[in-house]
Amino acid sequence: MPDQAWKAGIQMLKYTLPILLVVSSNIIYHVSSKTTPRGANPFASLLVTYLLAGTLTALLLLVDSAGRQVPVLEQFRNVNHTAALLGVAIVGLEFGYLMVYRAGWNISLGSLVANISLAASLVVVGVLFFGEKLTSNHAVGILLCIAGLVFINRG
């Protein structure tokens, strides 16, 4: 029995730790975006961001590859166009959020409006392109989110 509890605990960590990483990283992300000086050129700021991110990613790749039998360069064999598309999307996200906050959005609402809008849009993408099912509970939740957007933007 203790072995099953241990396995269940490990499984729970594997499930929740990525979400905690996303949430904590997003908090840092939004605070950093909101507090980037207005006088800083957004592209100069993003270049510093990407240089650091690229360096950190390269180091993590080396650390991750150390325990594998496959050479580092072989790790790129299965990388395709989606990596480039993700790069374009990240630039759009980063620049978009810098502009959201420079336009005067509060940190408490800018991200909320963007993420609710994103979530509602991804429901459509999931249903149309990935065959995901939309239940009546999902539909009610989406309508509540849209109603929330209306109330949030009324001020």
Side-chain angles (χ1 to χ4, degrees):
M1 192 63 128
D3 191 42
Q4 287 179 339
W6 176 257
K7 286 181 182 178
I10 294 295
Q11 195 60 31
M12 180 60 89
L13 282 176
K14 286 181 178 180
Y15 191 71
T16 57
L17 282 179
I19 293 295
L20 292 174
L21 178 61
V22 168
V23 170
S24 60
S25 295
N26 260 291
I27 290 169
I28 295 167
Y29 172 89
H30 285 282
V31 169
S32 298
S33 293
K34 177 73 172 170
T35 58
T36 296
R38 281 192 177 271
N41 182 301
F43 299 109
S45 180
L46 290 177
L47 181 60
V48 171
T49 299
Y50 295 132
L51 288 173
L52 179 58
T55 302
L56 180 58
T57 303
L59 290 172
L60 290 171
L61 174 64
L62 292 173
V63 169
D64 183 63
S65 296
R68 298 174 188 255
Q69 301 300 321
V70 180
V72 173
L73 292 179
E74 284 290 314
Q75 306 280 335
F76 291 92
R77 185 176 349 144
N78 293 323
V79 175
N80 65 8
H81 69 281
T82 59
L85 190 58
L86 184 58
V88 171
I90 288 170
V91 171
L93 278 169
E94 306 276 353
F95 181 68
Y97 271 114
L98 285 173
M99 294 300 100
V100 161
Y101 293 128
R102 286 184 180 187
W105 283 85
N106 292 329
I107 196 168
S108 58
L109 294 181
S111 175
L112 183 64
V113 169
N115 282 303
I116 291 171
S117 301
L118 169 65
S121 300
L122 285 175
V123 169
V124 175
V125 170
V127 169
L128 292 179
F129 298 106
F130 294 96
E132 296 175 3
K133 303 296 179 214
L134 183 63
T135 68
S136 57
N137 282 342
H138 295 147
V140 169
I142 293 164
L143 291 174
L144 288 173
C145 287
I146 292 169
L149 283 174
V150 169
F151 282 104
I152 286 170
N153 287 300
R154 287 174 117 181

